[in-house]
Amino acid sequence: MRDNGLTIGDLAARTGLAVSAIRFYETHGIVQPVRNAGGHRRYGRADIRRLSFAMIAQRLGFPLAEIAGHLARFPAHKALTAQDWAEISRGFRGQIEARIAELERLRDKLDGCIGCGCLSLERCALYNPDDRAAARGPGPRHVIDAD
Amino acid sequence: MRDNGLTIGDLAARTGLAVSAIRFYETHGIVQPVRNAGGHRRYGRADIRRLSFAMIAQRLGFPLAEIAGHLARFPAHKALTAQDWAEISRGFRGQIEARIAELERLRDKLDGCIGCGCLSLERCALYNPDDRAAARGPGPRHVIDAD
DNA sequence: CCTTGATCTGAAGTTAACTTGAGAAGTTAC
DNA sequence: GTAACTTCTCAAGTTAACTTCAGATCAAGG
């Protein structure tokens, strides 16, 4: 008997996510299922929306931590409204535009450098030490996705 | 006595890379220094160019493996010519343009979706399972990347 | 009731691109 | 010649985003 609510398997089938991924997202606070008598997770409809949102945001290139941050602003079991979505989306748009702009700058510099062949660290516009300094700390550097 | 050639420290100072990074790049075949009597690495001028190239390519967002692949086409101790550089660069340009185009598509879809708020997996243009395969980034994406 | 099949937990593995640390040995400046 | 660097090797740690595995328990159909 389904008690009430969806099982993690149901959710996986509906969203296309792996069961393990959904559990992982839970550790990041993206969903917060309740437990039934046997200790199994039970989800509500709002959770489908939350996961859908997370998947879309990931497609847009945003890290889970940031996505979780956005979702944290809304009650765990309340569904996201069109309002909420529009509000978050506008922020996304700005960041996408920024990434496009950065790539265009790089492309233009590259155009200027093709044929030059200097590869000089002092003179090549493509090599800008300041930009590299921005990426600090250990771990993998997300080269281009800066910010 | 410097025997001949640059030490790894010299190279680090010249390129701005960490000594550990240069050793790491060596494991990827990006540089192939010779050893002096004491077992220390000695580099040639061509190696500065190879590292510069790698750094620039990384800024452009290319993974080390791919960069190493490009460099593998050239003799380890021959310097890259303007010709070589121009040839490789043209390929880069194409890939940068592709990434820009992908982001623009996403931006446009997002515009269409702001205000819609449906977040429906079946209908939302932003959620396209096929496109997920294109996602770049860190982490084991093999499930998604599944050929 | 019993057998599949789904879930549970917690630990460890995966990729990328490096860094950090330990202990030993080479190199250099005075 | 010796103190002070620099470098050497190899193993293990780091972040992100998950997956895989093992051993155990829960749930549901016949």
Side-chain angles (χ1 to χ4, degrees), chain A residues 14-17 25 48-50 52-56 58-61 80-82 85-87 89-90 92-93 96-97 99-100 102-104 106-111 113-128 131-132 140 142-145, chain B residues 14-17 25 48-50 52-53 55-56 58-62 80-82 85-87 89-90 92-93 96-97 99-100 102-104 106-111 113-128 131-132 134 136-138 141:
Chain A
R14 287 259 213 295
T15 61
L17 286 168
Y25 287 165
I48 298 185
R49 291 290 161 95
R50 291 189 147 239
S52 302
F53 169 73
M55 294 168 82
I56 292 171
Q58 279 213 300
R59 265 220 75 207
L60 298 180
L80 292 174
T81 68
W85 166 240
E87 194 183 320
S89 299
R90 252 182 287 278
F92 280 171
R93 205 204 129 102
I96 291 175
E97 298 248 290
R99 285 218 298 279
I100 291 175
E102 154 84 338
L103 281 175
E104 282 172 343
L106 275 174
R107 180 195 55 194
D108 295 345
K109 284 183 186 171
L110 183 62
D111 281 350
C113 280
I114 287 183
C116 149
C118 65
L119 278 178
S120 159
L121 290 181
E122 294 92 43
R123 290 170 300 156
C124 186
L126 278 170
Y127 175 71
N128 181 347
D131 292 350
R132 301 201 102 227
H142 283 205
V143 263
I144 232 66
D145 291 337
Chain B
R14 288 261 212 297
T15 62
L17 286 168
Y25 288 164
I48 298 185
R49 291 291 161 95
R50 291 189 148 237
S52 302
F53 169 74
M55 294 169 82
I56 291 171
Q58 279 212 300
R59 266 218 76 206
L60 298 179
F62 296 95
L80 292 174
T81 67
W85 166 241
E87 195 182 320
S89 299
R90 252 181 287 278
F92 280 170
R93 206 204 129 102
I96 292 174
E97 298 248 289
R99 284 216 301 278
I100 290 175
E102 153 85 340
L103 282 174
E104 282 172 342
L106 275 174
R107 181 195 53 194
D108 295 343
K109 284 183 186 172
L110 183 62
D111 281 350
C113 280
I114 287 182
C116 150
C118 66
L119 278 177
S120 159
L121 289 181
E122 293 91 42
R123 291 171 299 158
C124 186
L126 277 170
Y127 175 70
N128 178 346
D131 289 353
R132 296 199 106 221
R136 287 167 53 88
R141 245 129 187 49

